[in-house]
Amino acid sequence: MTTSQKLFNQLESVLSGEPWYGPSVYSIVDAISFEAAYEKPAGSIHNIAGIILHMVGWTEEVMDRMNGMNAQLPVRGDWPEPGMPDEQKWKWIVEDLKLVNVNLAGFIQNFPEENWNKPVGGKEAETYEYQVSGLIQHHIYHSAQIALLNRMING
């Protein structure tokens, strides 16, 4: 199995498959109401909408790196502010998460196999494979946060 196939399969499993650790990212996100997405329980730093915007931003940043750009913070910022509660905006945030990951899946499938172990510009100690693996782990980590926040909000 090529690196591209391995990473693509891992991404698809985490996003919409049946990962061994529990619910997929999309099954967690699709269960969030727009009201819960903007609520910030006591002691929380971010709300669910903000966490998803953070996930989108870092996915875009990893794709920029795969396109040869030097590593930096995401163009949108590390933690974009989701703004005031808005049901339509919440739908767009969820759609953005799904669309950016469709794009990432395409990047992974089309990334030259010989480049996976090359260093990322501005992060010479990290390879492209390391970056994408880390992003998949980042998705898992934040989807667990989202599930916990939703449980705190909805009981």
Side-chain angles (χ1 to χ4, degrees):
M1 181 179 296
T2 67
T3 301
S4 294
Q5 290 168 326
K6 178 182 76 170
L7 292 171
F8 175 81
N9 290 345
Q10 288 174 3
L11 180 67
E12 290 299 304
S13 174
V14 164
L15 292 175
S16 58
E18 295 183 14
W20 70 268
Y21 60 81
S24 68
V25 173
Y26 295 159
S27 68
I28 292 169
V29 170
D30 288 342
I32 306 297
S33 69
F34 118 83
E35 296 88 355
Y38 287 92
E39 191 169 330
K40 194 183 293 183
S44 299
I45 298 171
H46 304 286
N47 61 23
I48 292 169
I51 292 170
I52 293 176
L53 288 173
H54 170 79
M55 293 168 70
V56 169
W58 278 103
T59 304
E60 292 170 340
E61 172 59 21
V62 168
M63 287 190 297
D64 285 346
R65 294 173 187 187
M66 292 172 77
N67 266 332
M69 295 177 68
N70 280 340
Q72 59 183 7
L73 286 176
V75 172
R76 304 175 185 231
D78 190 16
W79 288 98
E81 179 56 45
M84 298 300 296
D86 180 312
E87 190 167 5
Q88 184 58 52
K89 188 191 309 180
W90 168 242
K91 290 177 184 176
W92 290 335
I93 290 171
V94 173
E95 287 174 17
D96 280 353
L97 177 69
K98 293 178 180 181
L99 180 59
V100 77
N101 280 290
V102 166
N103 292 338
L104 176 63
F107 270 67
I108 290 169
Q109 288 178 309
N110 295 309
F111 198 72
E113 191 65 27
E114 64 274 9
N115 289 350
W116 282 114
N117 287 318
K118 290 184 178 176
V120 172
K123 291 273 189 179
E124 283 71 25
E126 298 179 10
T127 66
Y128 291 102
E129 180 180 7
Y130 180 82
Q131 291 277 300
V132 172
S133 291
L135 181 66
I136 293 168
Q137 294 166 12
H138 187 253
H139 282 358
I140 295 167
Y141 173 82
H142 285 302
S143 67
Q145 281 185 314
I146 292 166
L148 288 171
L149 283 172
N150 194 45
R151 182 171 287 171
M152 290 170 67
I153 293 163
N154 292 307

